[in-house]
Amino acid sequence: SGRTANETAFLYQLLARQFGTNNLPDCSNMCHESSGTGLLEAIGVGKGTVSLADFELCDAIFVLGQNPGTNHPRMLTALEAAKRRGCKLVSINPLRERGLVRFAHPKDPRAWLGGSTELCDLHLPVRIGGDVALLKGLMKHVLAAEARKPGQVLDWDFLRDHCEGFEALRQELDATEWAEIEASAGVDRDALREAAEIFVAADRVIACWAMGLTQHAHGVANVQEVMNLLLLRGQIGKPGAGPCPVRGHSNVQGDRTMGIWERPGPAFLDRLGAAFDFAPPREPGLDTVGAIEAMEAGRVRAFIGLGGNFAVATPDPSRVRTGLQQCDVTVQISTVLNRSHVIAGREAFVLPCLGRTERDDGPNGPQFVTVENSMSVVHRSQGRSEPATPSLRSEVRLVCDLARAILGPENPVPWEQLAGDYDRIRDAIEQVVPGFEDFNERVREPGGFVLPSGARERAFDTPDGKAHFCVHPIPKLALADGELVLMTLRSHDQFNTTIYSQDDRYRGIHGDRRVVLMHRDDLAARGLSAGQRVTLTSRFRGDERSVTDFRAVAYEIPRGCVGAYYPEANALVPLEHRAAGSRTPAYKSVPVRVAAAVDG
């Protein structure tokens, strides 16, 4: 799970590789794997390149497939500050989310008097799955602006010195017809021109996105088209500009940095082996989807969940349940109980641990851990609250105790010493992970430190040292007659699979989560009315899946598109329906039929 701190994650991957496996599925497989895959090919690093300071300098922010008001509320403060100083904000999302329309900071005295900031200058209601087409439309307008003012729009010096593949992109854009773009994007040419004018007028542009882009069958293409747009005008490697994939959990990015990955690079494994004097396995391991398939087929005998709610977060829940129950043993290391604890193997263990808000007292005094945020800032995290019970162990201690029990007393790794002094873990991380030099000293400085990234300096870690334009056709989701495109989404009163309320205050939905958001004309075309109970049925390669007793809600959403809450709609998402290249489950592009529920 992305809540796992750097120190725990590092020890966990060391345990796995000492045991002899790279089977380390993680939450990145489920959310931003498409970002990492797409960015790595395009700019040589699977992370964003901006910092919070860049939001203080940018002239325009494009927010794509992201709902900060619900999923990243802290980001709203940065957006509000940028808007107040004159930055333009463009929202690209099938839904007009209220958190991007107006924002009132709860700690701002002006908000107490009813004041709020109007955030969004332009909203483009893209059809679900139409992001590639929309971005192509923006780029066609940018090229047209360059044709009207040669040498004044594109960053020709940057394109010449730092990029590869521009001509192939330009030829592909020239060959793409506006009719195809408008039909796929669901946004007309004039609205796209307005957005492109904001992009062209801005000296510094940040593009933010989340799972509205990544969880599609073409999620990698979505991300790379965003990069194509930024590269046209050199919007990377300079203050106030660049890509910003926004991750939700506190240490999703840090876990990957620490080696929680089923496909580690040889350089990482070489350094790990040298630091601990062993030969790490080289065969790629299982990602999340692969792990589910392997459990289902009986090829995996044990499952250890370090945080998270695996059985509920994943797609195709009946198959996930079958796979987990076929395991000889399942282990859950958790701070709170969840549904995964009762979907167990033949033997099951629940190991409660300290939460990160609780005080972690070691033999030599209070301990702290570290995390890495979406801006590559590594900083400390230290609990202050009294532990729920004195017998609770920390995640670090549990992993070390498991390692000693699994690997035996002869294993040379000093697990007991690492568990007793987290500075020793950070010393080991310093030996293995680039960018963590003087880790213990730097992380104790106020605000922590920023990990290096060549892309921030326009030194792209690609085979030829250049950023790459990546050309993709406009995706075509084949829909049968009467089918709609479903995307899953979260409510305001929800964090991942944790539901705090049956209400969704920002969307005006109360007391019910089994709802499907539909355009009024789509309701009428099916003879349905708002409030009616309906059944949703998805189709994939001849197989059908249904969920029943959902309530139809008339909503402002593009025609042909519907939305339903995650995880209630997860049963409609087939395990095999995933992104090309990243294998991320395609929660955001599921063909469905909606029909009146049949009583009984």
Side-chain angles (χ1 to χ4, degrees):
S1 160
R3 73 166 173 79
T4 306
N6 287 327
E7 290 75 9
T8 315
F10 182 80
L11 294 177
Y12 194 58
Q13 64 83 31
L14 177 61
L15 161 59
R17 290 176 173 124
Q18 288 265 333
F19 185 69
T21 183
N22 284 313
N23 290 344
L24 286 164
D26 74 325
C27 55
S28 290
N29 299 150
M30 305 282 287
C31 56
H32 270 289
E33 198 71 64
S34 295
S35 296
T37 301
L39 291 174
L40 194 63
E41 181 181 359
I43 61 173
V45 62
K47 305 179 183 181
T49 66
V50 304
S51 67
L52 280 177
D54 290 311
F55 283 85
E56 300 171 4
L57 301 172
C58 60
D59 304 303
I61 303 171
F62 282 65
V63 181
L64 304 98
Q66 183 197 0
N67 179 16
T70 290
N71 300 326
H72 310 103
R74 291 184 182 180
M75 185 179 175
L76 284 176
T77 304
L79 295 179
E80 181 189 38
K83 190 69 176 66
R84 284 183 171 176
R85 63 172 177 77
C87 179
K88 298 288 187 180
L89 179 63
V90 177
S91 167
I92 299 172
N93 197 307
L95 304 180
R96 187 187 298 272
E97 301 288 13
R98 285 183 59 189
L100 277 172
V101 175
R102 300 194 71 85
F103 174 64
H105 197 295
K107 294 184 179 180
D108 188 337
R110 288 171 291 188
W112 305 344
L113 302 175
S116 61
T117 302
E118 186 173 346
L119 291 181
C120 190
D121 292 278
L122 178 65
H123 172 66
L124 301 180
V126 63
R127 284 175 54 86
I128 297 173
D131 301 283
V132 167
L134 185 145
L135 289 160
K136 288 183 184 296
L138 293 181
M139 288 186 283
K140 280 178 75 74
H141 279 309
V142 171
L143 293 183
E146 169 67 24
R148 291 191 298 270
K149 297 180 178 180
Q152 299 182 48
V153 176
L154 301 186
D155 188 336
W156 288 106
D157 290 340
F158 175 77
L159 292 173
R160 181 187 63 251
D161 297 339
H162 297 288
C163 295
E164 188 66 45
F166 169 68
E167 283 302 324
L169 177 73
R170 176 155 62 180
Q171 292 173 20
E172 196 269 345
L173 291 173
D174 288 343
T176 304
E177 298 292 337
W178 275 109
E180 184 182 8
I181 289 173
E182 290 179 312
S184 179
V187 179
D188 65 44
R189 185 173 178 174
D190 290 339
L192 293 174
R193 179 184 292 110
E194 187 177 353
E197 288 170 353
I198 293 174
F199 179 75
V200 168
D203 289 332
R204 302 176 180 90
V205 178
I206 291 174
C208 307
W209 69 89
M211 287 174 283
L213 286 195
T214 62
Q215 289 181 332
H216 288 273
H218 51 276
V220 174
N222 283 341
V223 170
Q224 291 183 337
E225 293 289 4
V226 173
M227 277 312 311
N228 288 344
L229 177 66
L230 293 175
L231 292 175
L232 286 178
R233 302 194 62 242
Q235 298 292 355
I236 186 173
K238 66 180 185 180
C244 180
V246 183
R247 289 161 166 87
H249 230 319
S250 55
N251 202 39
V252 177
Q253 192 158 291
D255 287 352
R256 183 56 58 87
T257 302
M258 291 297 107
I260 301 292
W261 194 22
E262 74 280 359
R263 292 179 288 113
F268 176 88
L269 294 177
D270 289 344
R271 291 189 297 268
L272 185 69
F276 290 95
D277 193 25
F278 81 112
R282 301 284 166 160
E283 186 72 18
L286 297 171
D287 61 8
T288 299
V289 169
I292 295 168
E293 291 172 332
M295 285 189 291
E296 187 182 34
R299 299 195 308 273
V300 162
R301 295 174 53 202
F303 174 90
I304 303 178
L306 183 57
N309 189 0
F310 190 86
V312 174
T314 45
D316 230 333
S318 63
R319 294 177 61 186
V320 178
R321 182 167 55 249
T322 298
L324 286 168
Q325 291 173 337
Q326 288 182 173
C327 289
D328 290 340
V329 61
T330 55
V331 181
Q332 303 286 346
I333 302 171
S334 304
T335 55
V336 295
L337 291 171
N338 62 51
R339 180 68 176 165
S340 292
H341 297 130
V342 296
I343 302 175
R346 296 181 179 91
E347 286 190 86
F349 297 86
V350 177
L351 305 180
C353 66
L354 289 172
R356 213 185 306 146
T357 59
E358 294 175 298
R359 195 176 63 250
D360 182 2
D361 291 324
N364 300 317
Q367 301 278 1
F368 70 88
V369 293
T370 63
V371 294
E372 177 189 351
N373 67 17
S374 291
M375 314 295 178
S376 298
V377 177
V378 178
H379 59 92
R380 61 190 288 170
S381 174
Q382 187 166 11
R384 307 292 181 185
S385 301
E386 188 74 16
T389 173
S391 62
L392 281 179
R393 305 184 199 184
S394 69
E395 280 190 329
V396 168
R397 168 63 69 179
L398 276 171
V399 170
C400 288
D401 289 351
L402 277 173
R404 181 58 74 200
I406 292 170
L407 301 174
E410 303 304 318
N411 183 264
V413 176
W415 297 105
E416 292 79 10
Q417 295 177 33
L418 294 170
D421 184 355
Y422 297 178
D423 278 357
R424 290 176 176 266
I425 307 171
R426 288 184 280 272
D427 288 340
I429 292 171
E430 182 178 329
Q431 295 181 60
V432 176
V433 186
F436 283 83
E437 296 78 13
D438 301 318
F439 189 4
N440 274 306
E441 291 75 21
R442 288 195 294 158
V443 81
R444 284 175 163 85
E445 297 173 2
F449 61 94
V450 181
L451 292 175
S453 169
R456 288 199 195 98
E457 310 299 326
R458 296 186 171 181
F460 301 107
D461 190 17
T462 56
D464 58 5
K466 293 190 174 185
H468 284 249
F469 288 96
C470 302
V471 177
H472 300 278
I474 292 177
K476 292 179 172 59
L477 182 62
L479 296 176
D481 187 42
E483 284 187 332
L484 306 163
V485 185
L486 167 76
M487 66 175 180
T488 64
L489 43 87
R490 285 181 280 186
S491 71
H492 179 68
D493 298 291
Q494 175 179 0
F495 182 72
N496 292 340
T497 60
T498 303
I499 313 299
Y500 297 105
S501 166
Q502 294 297 302
D503 299 336
D504 191 348
R505 289 173 282 161
Y506 280 9
R507 298 191 181 107
I509 297 170
H510 300 280
D512 193 2
R513 289 182 53 85
R514 294 183 72 83
V515 299
V516 55
L517 311 183
M518 299 181 65
H519 193 283
R520 290 187 180 276
D521 292 345
D522 286 328
L523 283 169
R526 288 154 182 78
L528 302 172
S529 57
Q532 186 171 352
R533 290 290 167 178
V534 296
T535 295
L536 281 68
T537 302
S538 69
R539 171 189 54 83
F540 186 78
R541 297 177 183 171
D543 292 331
E544 292 190 346
R545 296 161 175 79
S546 294
V547 293
T548 60
D549 198 31
F550 272 58
R551 177 168 59 91
V553 174
Y555 205 81
E556 184 183 351
I557 189 170
R559 283 291 311 269
C561 302
V562 296
Y565 292 126
Y566 159 106
E568 284 81 359
N570 282 12
L572 297 170
V573 185
L575 197 60
E576 293 83 4
H577 187 39
R578 54 205 183 209
S582 70
R583 291 168 54 87
T584 297
Y587 293 95
K588 300 293 190 287
S589 52
V590 182
V592 297
R593 298 192 309 275
V594 182
V598 178
D599 292 338

